[in-house]
Amino acid sequence: AVELEKPLMTGEDFSYICERVPSTFVWYGAGGKDCAPLHSARFCADESAIGIMTNVFCGFILNYLK
């Protein structure tokens, strides 16, 4: 776990899904160093995150199906 110096005030309704089905929520920072924030037309994702998160989600799936 990482403690943020400046907490973010975000909202998420994902907990409603979690009440019904086994779930996990991952917040993975994939923005480049000099990028605009997420949901901006100028946002540029770090494409190395695709492979990393593919492995993470495959691990979740394999663990769930044990």
Side-chain angles (χ1 to χ4, degrees):
V2 175
E3 187 173 328
L4 301 176
E5 287 182 29
K6 183 178 177 185
L8 303 172
M9 296 298 290
T10 58
E12 183 58 56
D13 293 333
F14 188 71
S15 63
Y16 293 110
I17 295 170
C18 298
E19 290 176 350
R20 305 250 182 222
V21 295
S23 307
T24 191
F25 183 87
V26 176
W27 194 342
Y28 184 78
K33 272 188 170 179
D34 300 318
C35 282
L38 186 62
H39 303 298
S40 164
R42 296 179 294 119
F43 176 75
C44 54
D46 179 352
E47 292 182 5
S48 69
I50 296 169
I52 294 167
M53 291 312 296
T54 299
N55 288 333
V56 169
F57 284 115
C58 286
F60 289 154
I61 293 166
L62 292 172
N63 187 54
Y64 178 75
L65 294 176
K66 273 189 193 175

